[in-house]
Amino acid sequence: MIKVNDLHKTFEGKQVLRGVGFTVNTGETFGIIGKSGSGKSVLLKHLIGLLKPDVGEVWIDDKLISAMSFRKLQRVREKIGMVFQFGALFDSMTVSENIELALKKLTKLSGSSLNDRVTESLASVGLEGTEKLMPSELSGGMKKRVGIARAIAIKPEYMFYDEPTTGLDPVMTDTINRLIKKFKTDERITTVVVTHEMLTVYDVVDRVILLHEGKIQFDGTPEDIKKSDDLVVKQFITGDSTLLLQESR
Ligand SMILES: Nc1ncnc2c1ncn2[C@@H]1O[C@H](COP(=O)(O)OP(=O)(O)O)[C@@H](O)[C@H]1O
Ligand SMILES: [Mg+2]
């Protein structure tokens, strides 16, 4: 379970989070949406302890990670598979070396069990036989999938995805959405997906929050967000830029 209480974060005078709180139950798939710059990645980085809040708390399984030392955080991170927005693969390493690096850092695997885990995780995202390729030889969709394979390889209890489908064509978007759904049922994983694709919200998540001006503008199911009368919500999901004209005048 993840519990976030009254999170505040300011960078150089810019208030990015102004009192954000929510709970994600075990096994749930939770979406975080909001326009570019609304603080989605900043929020996700708080969930893995990469950023510390100015005010507020982040709990993961009864552990207060917002106040944890780096050494203790390492143990929590062993439970979290993180898929970064820009893939974050090391360009000078092969696909398998990229995955091995994460496995060596976050698990005790070595030797043939390490190699087996690499093979298994690549197969689970449909990338059998790509072990020796360099990231530069991969398409955008393949890079994303290697990023997912690397995250799932540690057999995490939590999977966090930052914009897993941004910049991909509709078919690859569907492939990634299916993988997110597959890992959630296969492994009973608690999942957090940051996205600005409504298709991912409708197709994948159980519950979604919309970040707006540092606060939660909406918190509910994908069904509810479709029915919302809130103008900020409507503008976000329809992309109709004229809806808020009167308010901003
Ligand atoms: N480390 C940082 N230092 C200063 N400003 C930051 C930092 N990280 C994020 N920001 C700012 O916080 C705001 C929210 O960023 P981000 O969470 O990346 O937005 P998004 O919703 O697009 O993921 C942006 O204005 C960004 O410039
Ligand atoms: Mg972001």
Side-chain angles (χ1 to χ4, degrees), residues 11 14 16 35-42:
F11 292 110
K14 184 177 193 299
V16 177
K35 63 186 181 195
S36 184
S38 60
K40 303 182 296 297
S41 296
V42 166

